[in-house]
Amino acid sequence: MPQAGERIGFRQALHDSLVVARRNLLRMMRIPEIVVFGLVQPIMFVVLFAYVFGGSINIPGAGLDADAYREFLMAGIFAQTVTFATAGASAGIAEDMQKGVIDRFRSLPMARGAVLTGRTIADLTQTLVTLIVLALVAFAVGWRIHDGVLNALAAFGLLLLLGYAFTWIGALIGLSVRSPEAATSGGLVWLFPLTFISIAFVPSENMPGWLQPVAEWNPFSATVLAARELFGNLPAGYEAPDSWPMQHPALASVLWSIVIILIFRSRAVRKYRGAAG
């Protein structure tokens, strides 16, 4: 066991992170409401958007085809689900701060970043479970995978990578506010414009001209389009916008996610260390 103040290596830091992740997963299992309510919202979005908006939104290459819209929609719902896990990360860390759990971790001879890394790993695991359930619901309303299992797994991998990146934004928010309630609000207020000013629910072609570049350079949009391509959910006549992220969505998705992780992980760990000092 390393002593306080001793430099901790990668293996020990990984071990510490997994211990913290296990602690958070056990806590989630003991409070099943966390998982249940996390599933209810995306399921409601699937049903409402599929049957309320299906047939009323024009999809390039498919027109007002309700079935085409359901397939077009699902990648957006998946992406929204993984990014909304940010609010849970924010609230969880803020609650630990408020209850003094973080202070107890600080007193232990463990890697400083392990507390945050463990929390984000636990949130990623919960998000994976949510995605599996949501995919089953999507199958029930008519969504299908057309380009093979490997491509579908790659699509889910991009979605989870984006979700993991966004949990680091949530971690920083959770460390920056004074209560779980404020963390929940702070974790959601910026997500709504991010997800809706994107190609998640409507094509960018349907937006005002000045808003289209904003939607197309949105990291959320790159992941959504990449997932649609990998799932085979784009209509045969669909043509992607000319902007670079829309022409190379998978690469853009990976780059956006890595940049977000690098920026917000370093800021969150610095915030944690500053508070510890």
Side-chain angles (χ1 to χ4, degrees), residues 52-90:
V52 174
F53 294 104
S56 62
I57 294 179
N58 183 55
I59 305 298
L64 298 176
D65 187 318
D67 293 333
Y69 181 70
R70 290 190 189 104
E71 296 212 334
F72 182 87
L73 168 71
M74 283 315 307
I77 296 291
F78 289 146
Q80 183 189 56
T81 299
V82 300
T83 53
F84 271 42
T86 301
S90 300

PDB file of all heavy atoms in Angstrom, residues 52-90:
ATOM      1  N   VAL A  52     -45.099  10.242 -32.721  1.00  0.00           N
ATOM      2  CA  VAL A  52     -45.655  11.596 -32.826  1.00  0.00           C
ATOM      3  C   VAL A  52     -45.076  12.331 -34.027  1.00  0.00           C
ATOM      4  O   VAL A  52     -45.795  12.964 -34.800  1.00  0.00           O
ATOM      5  CB  VAL A  52     -45.413  12.393 -31.531  1.00  0.00           C
ATOM      6  CG1 VAL A  52     -45.869  13.842 -31.704  1.00  0.00           C
ATOM      7  CG2 VAL A  52     -46.147  11.751 -30.366  1.00  0.00           C
ATOM      8  N   PHE A  53     -43.740  12.230 -34.198  1.00  0.00           N
ATOM      9  CA  PHE A  53     -43.091  12.952 -35.288  1.00  0.00           C
ATOM     10  C   PHE A  53     -42.886  12.105 -36.546  1.00  0.00           C
ATOM     11  O   PHE A  53     -42.607  12.638 -37.608  1.00  0.00           O
ATOM     12  CB  PHE A  53     -41.737  13.504 -34.829  1.00  0.00           C
ATOM     13  CG  PHE A  53     -41.856  14.557 -33.772  1.00  0.00           C
ATOM     14  CD1 PHE A  53     -41.568  14.258 -32.450  1.00  0.00           C
ATOM     15  CD2 PHE A  53     -42.260  15.837 -34.084  1.00  0.00           C
ATOM     16  CE1 PHE A  53     -41.680  15.223 -31.463  1.00  0.00           C
ATOM     17  CE2 PHE A  53     -42.371  16.810 -33.102  1.00  0.00           C
ATOM     18  CZ  PHE A  53     -42.084  16.501 -31.792  1.00  0.00           C
ATOM     19  N   GLY A  54     -42.965  10.786 -36.410  1.00  0.00           N
ATOM     20  CA  GLY A  54     -42.803   9.925 -37.564  1.00  0.00           C
ATOM     21  C   GLY A  54     -43.830  10.249 -38.645  1.00  0.00           C
ATOM     22  O   GLY A  54     -45.027  10.312 -38.383  1.00  0.00           O
ATOM     23  N   GLY A  55     -43.366  10.473 -39.860  1.00  0.00           N
ATOM     24  CA  GLY A  55     -44.254  10.813 -40.958  1.00  0.00           C
ATOM     25  C   GLY A  55     -44.497  12.294 -41.127  1.00  0.00           C
ATOM     26  O   GLY A  55     -45.153  12.711 -42.085  1.00  0.00           O
ATOM     27  N   SER A  56     -43.957  13.120 -40.203  1.00  0.00           N
ATOM     28  CA  SER A  56     -44.161  14.565 -40.319  1.00  0.00           C
ATOM     29  C   SER A  56     -42.866  15.320 -40.568  1.00  0.00           C
ATOM     30  O   SER A  56     -42.877  16.531 -40.765  1.00  0.00           O
ATOM     31  CB  SER A  56     -44.830  15.111 -39.045  1.00  0.00           C
ATOM     32  OG  SER A  56     -44.002  14.894 -37.912  1.00  0.00           O
ATOM     33  N   ILE A  57     -41.735  14.625 -40.541  1.00  0.00           N
ATOM     34  CA  ILE A  57     -40.430  15.257 -40.759  1.00  0.00           C
ATOM     35  C   ILE A  57     -39.826  14.719 -42.044  1.00  0.00           C
ATOM     36  O   ILE A  57     -39.731  13.496 -42.246  1.00  0.00           O
ATOM     37  CB  ILE A  57     -39.490  14.999 -39.563  1.00  0.00           C
ATOM     38  CG1 ILE A  57     -40.034  15.701 -38.310  1.00  0.00           C
ATOM     39  CG2 ILE A  57     -38.075  15.473 -39.870  1.00  0.00           C
ATOM     40  CD1 ILE A  57     -39.204  15.498 -37.071  1.00  0.00           C
ATOM     41  N   ASN A  58     -39.431  15.626 -42.904  1.00  0.00           N
ATOM     42  CA  ASN A  58     -38.875  15.263 -44.198  1.00  0.00           C
ATOM     43  C   ASN A  58     -37.424  14.812 -44.055  1.00  0.00           C
ATOM     44  O   ASN A  58     -36.581  15.552 -43.546  1.00  0.00           O
ATOM     45  CB  ASN A  58     -38.966  16.448 -45.162  1.00  0.00           C
ATOM     46  CG  ASN A  58     -38.453  16.095 -46.543  1.00  0.00           C
ATOM     47  OD1 ASN A  58     -38.915  15.139 -47.160  1.00  0.00           O
ATOM     48  ND2 ASN A  58     -37.499  16.864 -47.025  1.00  0.00           N
ATOM     49  N   ILE A  59     -37.134  13.598 -44.493  1.00  0.00           N
ATOM     50  CA  ILE A  59     -35.782  13.045 -44.447  1.00  0.00           C
ATOM     51  C   ILE A  59     -35.230  13.027 -45.871  1.00  0.00           C
ATOM     52  O   ILE A  59     -35.845  12.421 -46.763  1.00  0.00           O
ATOM     53  CB  ILE A  59     -35.785  11.605 -43.883  1.00  0.00           C
ATOM     54  CG1 ILE A  59     -36.463  11.559 -42.520  1.00  0.00           C
ATOM     55  CG2 ILE A  59     -34.371  11.062 -43.805  1.00  0.00           C
ATOM     56  CD1 ILE A  59     -35.783  12.371 -41.468  1.00  0.00           C
ATOM     57  N   PRO A  60     -34.100  13.693 -46.138  1.00  0.00           N
ATOM     58  CA  PRO A  60     -33.531  13.677 -47.489  1.00  0.00           C
ATOM     59  C   PRO A  60     -33.325  12.253 -47.992  1.00  0.00           C
ATOM     60  O   PRO A  60     -32.719  11.431 -47.324  1.00  0.00           O
ATOM     61  CB  PRO A  60     -32.183  14.398 -47.305  1.00  0.00           C
ATOM     62  CG  PRO A  60     -32.390  15.282 -46.117  1.00  0.00           C
ATOM     63  CD  PRO A  60     -33.302  14.521 -45.204  1.00  0.00           C
ATOM     64  N   GLY A  61     -33.878  11.986 -49.143  1.00  0.00           N
ATOM     65  CA  GLY A  61     -33.769  10.651 -49.721  1.00  0.00           C
ATOM     66  C   GLY A  61     -34.916   9.734 -49.380  1.00  0.00           C
ATOM     67  O   GLY A  61     -35.033   8.645 -49.958  1.00  0.00           O
ATOM     68  N   ALA A  62     -35.771  10.130 -48.412  1.00  0.00           N
ATOM     69  CA  ALA A  62     -36.886   9.264 -48.017  1.00  0.00           C
ATOM     70  C   ALA A  62     -38.201  10.014 -47.891  1.00  0.00           C
ATOM     71  O   ALA A  62     -39.249   9.402 -47.758  1.00  0.00           O
ATOM     72  CB  ALA A  62     -36.563   8.576 -46.692  1.00  0.00           C
ATOM     73  N   GLY A  63     -38.156  11.342 -47.902  1.00  0.00           N
ATOM     74  CA  GLY A  63     -39.384  12.126 -47.777  1.00  0.00           C
ATOM     75  C   GLY A  63     -40.014  12.021 -46.410  1.00  0.00           C
ATOM     76  O   GLY A  63     -39.319  12.074 -45.385  1.00  0.00           O
ATOM     77  N   LEU A  64     -41.327  11.826 -46.365  1.00  0.00           N
ATOM     78  CA  LEU A  64     -42.075  11.773 -45.101  1.00  0.00           C
ATOM     79  C   LEU A  64     -42.384  10.345 -44.678  1.00  0.00           C
ATOM     80  O   LEU A  64     -43.350  10.091 -43.970  1.00  0.00           O
ATOM     81  CB  LEU A  64     -43.381  12.566 -45.237  1.00  0.00           C
ATOM     82  CG  LEU A  64     -43.224  14.058 -45.526  1.00  0.00           C
ATOM     83  CD1 LEU A  64     -44.595  14.702 -45.734  1.00  0.00           C
ATOM     84  CD2 LEU A  64     -42.482  14.757 -44.392  1.00  0.00           C
ATOM     85  N   ASP A  65     -41.557   9.416 -45.056  1.00  0.00           N
ATOM     86  CA  ASP A  65     -41.742   8.002 -44.722  1.00  0.00           C
ATOM     87  C   ASP A  65     -41.556   7.805 -43.215  1.00  0.00           C
ATOM     88  O   ASP A  65     -40.469   8.044 -42.672  1.00  0.00           O
ATOM     89  CB  ASP A  65     -40.731   7.159 -45.492  1.00  0.00           C
ATOM     90  CG  ASP A  65     -40.980   5.666 -45.332  1.00  0.00           C
ATOM     91  OD1 ASP A  65     -41.275   5.227 -44.214  1.00  0.00           O
ATOM     92  OD2 ASP A  65     -40.876   4.940 -46.343  1.00  0.00           O
ATOM     93  N   ALA A  66     -42.608   7.344 -42.527  1.00  0.00           N
ATOM     94  CA  ALA A  66     -42.557   7.175 -41.073  1.00  0.00           C
ATOM     95  C   ALA A  66     -41.551   6.107 -40.671  1.00  0.00           C
ATOM     96  O   ALA A  66     -40.827   6.249 -39.674  1.00  0.00           O
ATOM     97  CB  ALA A  66     -43.944   6.827 -40.535  1.00  0.00           C
ATOM     98  N   ASP A  67     -41.471   5.010 -41.413  1.00  0.00           N
ATOM     99  CA  ASP A  67     -40.519   3.945 -41.095  1.00  0.00           C
ATOM    100  C   ASP A  67     -39.079   4.436 -41.233  1.00  0.00           C
ATOM    101  O   ASP A  67     -38.210   4.108 -40.414  1.00  0.00           O
ATOM    102  CB  ASP A  67     -40.748   2.736 -41.996  1.00  0.00           C
ATOM    103  CG  ASP A  67     -42.082   2.048 -41.710  1.00  0.00           C
ATOM    104  OD1 ASP A  67     -42.558   2.144 -40.561  1.00  0.00           O
ATOM    105  OD2 ASP A  67     -42.641   1.437 -42.641  1.00  0.00           O
ATOM    106  N   ALA A  68     -38.826   5.208 -42.283  1.00  0.00           N
ATOM    107  CA  ALA A  68     -37.476   5.755 -42.483  1.00  0.00           C
ATOM    108  C   ALA A  68     -37.112   6.692 -41.342  1.00  0.00           C
ATOM    109  O   ALA A  68     -35.958   6.717 -40.888  1.00  0.00           O
ATOM    110  CB  ALA A  68     -37.400   6.490 -43.822  1.00  0.00           C
ATOM    111  N   TYR A  69     -38.087   7.465 -40.868  1.00  0.00           N
ATOM    112  CA  TYR A  69     -37.790   8.379 -39.769  1.00  0.00           C
ATOM    113  C   TYR A  69     -37.452   7.624 -38.491  1.00  0.00           C
ATOM    114  O   TYR A  69     -36.574   8.036 -37.742  1.00  0.00           O
ATOM    115  CB  TYR A  69     -38.954   9.334 -39.502  1.00  0.00           C
ATOM    116  CG  TYR A  69     -38.637  10.296 -38.369  1.00  0.00           C
ATOM    117  CD1 TYR A  69     -37.686  11.298 -38.543  1.00  0.00           C
ATOM    118  CD2 TYR A  69     -39.245  10.163 -37.124  1.00  0.00           C
ATOM    119  CE1 TYR A  69     -37.355  12.159 -37.503  1.00  0.00           C
ATOM    120  CE2 TYR A  69     -38.920  11.016 -36.081  1.00  0.00           C
ATOM    121  CZ  TYR A  69     -37.980  12.013 -36.270  1.00  0.00           C
ATOM    122  OH  TYR A  69     -37.647  12.851 -35.237  1.00  0.00           O
ATOM    123  N   ARG A  70     -38.142   6.513 -38.225  1.00  0.00           N
ATOM    124  CA  ARG A  70     -37.845   5.744 -37.016  1.00  0.00           C
ATOM    125  C   ARG A  70     -36.395   5.255 -37.033  1.00  0.00           C
ATOM    126  O   ARG A  70     -35.716   5.273 -36.021  1.00  0.00           O
ATOM    127  CB  ARG A  70     -38.812   4.569 -36.886  1.00  0.00           C
ATOM    128  CG  ARG A  70     -40.240   4.981 -36.550  1.00  0.00           C
ATOM    129  CD  ARG A  70     -41.113   3.783 -36.200  1.00  0.00           C
ATOM    130  NE  ARG A  70     -42.498   4.206 -36.102  1.00  0.00           N
ATOM    131  CZ  ARG A  70     -43.419   3.965 -37.031  1.00  0.00           C
ATOM    132  NH1 ARG A  70     -43.095   3.300 -38.122  1.00  0.00           N
ATOM    133  NH2 ARG A  70     -44.660   4.387 -36.873  1.00  0.00           N
ATOM    134  N   GLU A  71     -35.943   4.796 -38.186  1.00  0.00           N
ATOM    135  CA  GLU A  71     -34.556   4.339 -38.271  1.00  0.00           C
ATOM    136  C   GLU A  71     -33.592   5.520 -38.201  1.00  0.00           C
ATOM    137  O   GLU A  71     -32.529   5.429 -37.586  1.00  0.00           O
ATOM    138  CB  GLU A  71     -34.346   3.533 -39.551  1.00  0.00           C
ATOM    139  CG  GLU A  71     -35.158   2.249 -39.588  1.00  0.00           C
ATOM    140  CD  GLU A  71     -34.464   1.142 -40.348  1.00  0.00           C
ATOM    141  OE1 GLU A  71     -33.640   1.454 -41.232  1.00  0.00           O
ATOM    142  OE2 GLU A  71     -34.736  -0.034 -40.047  1.00  0.00           O
ATOM    143  N   PHE A  72     -33.960   6.621 -38.829  1.00  0.00           N
ATOM    144  CA  PHE A  72     -33.148   7.839 -38.771  1.00  0.00           C
ATOM    145  C   PHE A  72     -33.043   8.344 -37.337  1.00  0.00           C
ATOM    146  O   PHE A  72     -31.993   8.828 -36.898  1.00  0.00           O
ATOM    147  CB  PHE A  72     -33.806   8.897 -39.659  1.00  0.00           C
ATOM    148  CG  PHE A  72     -33.076  10.206 -39.747  1.00  0.00           C
ATOM    149  CD1 PHE A  72     -32.076  10.406 -40.678  1.00  0.00           C
ATOM    150  CD2 PHE A  72     -33.400  11.261 -38.898  1.00  0.00           C
ATOM    151  CE1 PHE A  72     -31.403  11.621 -40.765  1.00  0.00           C
ATOM    152  CE2 PHE A  72     -32.741  12.467 -38.972  1.00  0.00           C
ATOM    153  CZ  PHE A  72     -31.726  12.650 -39.917  1.00  0.00           C
ATOM    154  N   LEU A  73     -34.120   8.193 -36.583  1.00  0.00           N
ATOM    155  CA  LEU A  73     -34.211   8.736 -35.229  1.00  0.00           C
ATOM    156  C   LEU A  73     -33.319   8.031 -34.225  1.00  0.00           C
ATOM    157  O   LEU A  73     -32.735   8.672 -33.344  1.00  0.00           O
ATOM    158  CB  LEU A  73     -35.677   8.640 -34.764  1.00  0.00           C
ATOM    159  CG  LEU A  73     -35.971   8.885 -33.276  1.00  0.00           C
ATOM    160  CD1 LEU A  73     -35.783  10.360 -32.945  1.00  0.00           C
ATOM    161  CD2 LEU A  73     -37.395   8.441 -32.940  1.00  0.00           C
ATOM    162  N   MET A  74     -33.191   6.710 -34.330  1.00  0.00           N
ATOM    163  CA  MET A  74     -32.651   5.936 -33.217  1.00  0.00           C
ATOM    164  C   MET A  74     -31.217   6.292 -32.848  1.00  0.00           C
ATOM    165  O   MET A  74     -30.865   6.328 -31.663  1.00  0.00           O
ATOM    166  CB  MET A  74     -32.754   4.441 -33.517  1.00  0.00           C
ATOM    167  CG  MET A  74     -34.155   3.882 -33.331  1.00  0.00           C
ATOM    168  SD  MET A  74     -34.963   4.448 -31.793  1.00  0.00           S
ATOM    169  CE  MET A  74     -33.738   4.012 -30.570  1.00  0.00           C
ATOM    170  N   ALA A  75     -30.367   6.576 -33.816  1.00  0.00           N
ATOM    171  CA  ALA A  75     -28.997   6.964 -33.470  1.00  0.00           C
ATOM    172  C   ALA A  75     -29.002   8.237 -32.633  1.00  0.00           C
ATOM    173  O   ALA A  75     -28.193   8.395 -31.708  1.00  0.00           O
ATOM    174  CB  ALA A  75     -28.159   7.159 -34.733  1.00  0.00           C
ATOM    175  N   GLY A  76     -29.921   9.163 -32.937  1.00  0.00           N
ATOM    176  CA  GLY A  76     -30.036  10.385 -32.148  1.00  0.00           C
ATOM    177  C   GLY A  76     -30.474  10.108 -30.726  1.00  0.00           C
ATOM    178  O   GLY A  76     -29.962  10.703 -29.771  1.00  0.00           O
ATOM    179  N   ILE A  77     -31.435   9.193 -30.562  1.00  0.00           N
ATOM    180  CA  ILE A  77     -31.887   8.825 -29.214  1.00  0.00           C
ATOM    181  C   ILE A  77     -30.767   8.139 -28.445  1.00  0.00           C
ATOM    182  O   ILE A  77     -30.547   8.416 -27.255  1.00  0.00           O
ATOM    183  CB  ILE A  77     -33.120   7.901 -29.292  1.00  0.00           C
ATOM    184  CG1 ILE A  77     -34.296   8.642 -29.937  1.00  0.00           C
ATOM    185  CG2 ILE A  77     -33.494   7.400 -27.900  1.00  0.00           C
ATOM    186  CD1 ILE A  77     -34.876   9.749 -29.103  1.00  0.00           C
ATOM    187  N   PHE A  78     -30.042   7.250 -29.099  1.00  0.00           N
ATOM    188  CA  PHE A  78     -28.916   6.591 -28.439  1.00  0.00           C
ATOM    189  C   PHE A  78     -27.887   7.625 -27.962  1.00  0.00           C
ATOM    190  O   PHE A  78     -27.400   7.566 -26.823  1.00  0.00           O
ATOM    191  CB  PHE A  78     -28.226   5.613 -29.395  1.00  0.00           C
ATOM    192  CG  PHE A  78     -29.025   4.382 -29.707  1.00  0.00           C
ATOM    193  CD1 PHE A  78     -28.947   3.784 -30.957  1.00  0.00           C
ATOM    194  CD2 PHE A  78     -29.849   3.797 -28.763  1.00  0.00           C
ATOM    195  CE1 PHE A  78     -29.671   2.643 -31.256  1.00  0.00           C
ATOM    196  CE2 PHE A  78     -30.585   2.660 -29.043  1.00  0.00           C
ATOM    197  CZ  PHE A  78     -30.495   2.080 -30.303  1.00  0.00           C
ATOM    198  N   ALA A  79     -27.557   8.572 -28.844  1.00  0.00           N
ATOM    199  CA  ALA A  79     -26.562   9.585 -28.496  1.00  0.00           C
ATOM    200  C   ALA A  79     -27.070  10.478 -27.366  1.00  0.00           C
ATOM    201  O   ALA A  79     -26.313  10.842 -26.453  1.00  0.00           O
ATOM    202  CB  ALA A  79     -26.208  10.420 -29.725  1.00  0.00           C
ATOM    203  N   GLN A  80     -28.335  10.847 -27.422  1.00  0.00           N
ATOM    204  CA  GLN A  80     -28.899  11.667 -26.350  1.00  0.00           C
ATOM    205  C   GLN A  80     -28.828  10.932 -25.015  1.00  0.00           C
ATOM    206  O   GLN A  80     -28.500  11.517 -23.983  1.00  0.00           O
ATOM    207  CB  GLN A  80     -30.344  12.027 -26.673  1.00  0.00           C
ATOM    208  CG  GLN A  80     -30.980  12.951 -25.634  1.00  0.00           C
ATOM    209  CD  GLN A  80     -32.462  13.126 -25.859  1.00  0.00           C
ATOM    210  OE1 GLN A  80     -33.211  12.158 -25.909  1.00  0.00           O
ATOM    211  NE2 GLN A  80     -32.899  14.366 -26.009  1.00  0.00           N
ATOM    212  N   THR A  81     -29.099   9.645 -25.040  1.00  0.00           N
ATOM    213  CA  THR A  81     -29.086   8.849 -23.809  1.00  0.00           C
ATOM    214  C   THR A  81     -27.704   8.815 -23.174  1.00  0.00           C
ATOM    215  O   THR A  81     -27.557   9.007 -21.962  1.00  0.00           O
ATOM    216  CB  THR A  81     -29.568   7.420 -24.114  1.00  0.00           C
ATOM    217  OG1 THR A  81     -30.906   7.469 -24.624  1.00  0.00           O
ATOM    218  CG2 THR A  81     -29.540   6.567 -22.862  1.00  0.00           C
ATOM    219  N   VAL A  82     -26.666   8.566 -23.991  1.00  0.00           N
ATOM    220  CA  VAL A  82     -25.322   8.469 -23.418  1.00  0.00           C
ATOM    221  C   VAL A  82     -24.832   9.821 -22.914  1.00  0.00           C
ATOM    222  O   VAL A  82     -24.088   9.890 -21.918  1.00  0.00           O
ATOM    223  CB  VAL A  82     -24.312   7.866 -24.420  1.00  0.00           C
ATOM    224  CG1 VAL A  82     -24.737   6.468 -24.839  1.00  0.00           C
ATOM    225  CG2 VAL A  82     -24.116   8.744 -25.640  1.00  0.00           C
ATOM    226  N   THR A  83     -25.227  10.907 -23.566  1.00  0.00           N
ATOM    227  CA  THR A  83     -24.754  12.218 -23.111  1.00  0.00           C
ATOM    228  C   THR A  83     -25.532  12.719 -21.901  1.00  0.00           C
ATOM    229  O   THR A  83     -24.991  13.455 -21.080  1.00  0.00           O
ATOM    230  CB  THR A  83     -24.837  13.260 -24.238  1.00  0.00           C
ATOM    231  OG1 THR A  83     -26.157  13.276 -24.786  1.00  0.00           O
ATOM    232  CG2 THR A  83     -23.854  12.948 -25.346  1.00  0.00           C
ATOM    233  N   PHE A  84     -26.787  12.312 -21.756  1.00  0.00           N
ATOM    234  CA  PHE A  84     -27.556  12.733 -20.593  1.00  0.00           C
ATOM    235  C   PHE A  84     -27.071  12.067 -19.311  1.00  0.00           C
ATOM    236  O   PHE A  84     -27.464  12.468 -18.214  1.00  0.00           O
ATOM    237  CB  PHE A  84     -29.044  12.459 -20.816  1.00  0.00           C
ATOM    238  CG  PHE A  84     -29.769  13.609 -21.475  1.00  0.00           C
ATOM    239  CD1 PHE A  84     -29.184  14.298 -22.529  1.00  0.00           C
ATOM    240  CD2 PHE A  84     -31.027  14.010 -21.056  1.00  0.00           C
ATOM    241  CE1 PHE A  84     -29.826  15.363 -23.149  1.00  0.00           C
ATOM    242  CE2 PHE A  84     -31.685  15.070 -21.672  1.00  0.00           C
ATOM    243  CZ  PHE A  84     -31.085  15.746 -22.714  1.00  0.00           C
ATOM    244  N   ALA A  85     -26.207  11.047 -19.435  1.00  0.00           N
ATOM    245  CA  ALA A  85     -25.581  10.466 -18.252  1.00  0.00           C
ATOM    246  C   ALA A  85     -24.690  11.486 -17.546  1.00  0.00           C
ATOM    247  O   ALA A  85     -24.317  11.303 -16.384  1.00  0.00           O
ATOM    248  CB  ALA A  85     -24.758   9.241 -18.644  1.00  0.00           C
ATOM    249  N   THR A  86     -24.355  12.569 -18.253  1.00  0.00           N
ATOM    250  CA  THR A  86     -23.562  13.653 -17.664  1.00  0.00           C
ATOM    251  C   THR A  86     -24.202  14.188 -16.394  1.00  0.00           C
ATOM    252  O   THR A  86     -23.517  14.468 -15.404  1.00  0.00           O
ATOM    253  CB  THR A  86     -23.419  14.801 -18.688  1.00  0.00           C
ATOM    254  OG1 THR A  86     -22.783  14.309 -19.855  1.00  0.00           O
ATOM    255  CG2 THR A  86     -22.597  15.944 -18.118  1.00  0.00           C
ATOM    256  N   ALA A  87     -25.521  14.342 -16.411  1.00  0.00           N
ATOM    257  CA  ALA A  87     -26.221  14.879 -15.243  1.00  0.00           C
ATOM    258  C   ALA A  87     -26.064  13.955 -14.048  1.00  0.00           C
ATOM    259  O   ALA A  87     -25.901  14.414 -12.909  1.00  0.00           O
ATOM    260  CB  ALA A  87     -27.697  15.086 -15.564  1.00  0.00           C
ATOM    261  N   GLY A  88     -26.089  12.643 -14.290  1.00  0.00           N
ATOM    262  CA  GLY A  88     -25.904  11.694 -13.198  1.00  0.00           C
ATOM    263  C   GLY A  88     -24.509  11.782 -12.601  1.00  0.00           C
ATOM    264  O   GLY A  88     -24.338  11.710 -11.380  1.00  0.00           O
ATOM    265  N   ALA A  89     -23.511  11.941 -13.463  1.00  0.00           N
ATOM    266  CA  ALA A  89     -22.138  12.089 -12.977  1.00  0.00           C
ATOM    267  C   ALA A  89     -21.998  13.353 -12.142  1.00  0.00           C
ATOM    268  O   ALA A  89     -21.370  13.352 -11.076  1.00  0.00           O
ATOM    269  CB  ALA A  89     -21.171  12.119 -14.156  1.00  0.00           C
ATOM    270  N   SER A  90     -22.591  14.441 -12.616  1.00  0.00           N
ATOM    271  CA  SER A  90     -22.530  15.711 -11.886  1.00  0.00           C
ATOM    272  C   SER A  90     -23.154  15.577 -10.510  1.00  0.00           C
ATOM    273  O   SER A  90     -22.552  15.948  -9.492  1.00  0.00           O
ATOM    274  CB  SER A  90     -23.263  16.813 -12.667  1.00  0.00           C
ATOM    275  OG  SER A  90     -22.692  17.009 -13.927  1.00  0.00           O
TER     276      SER A  90
END
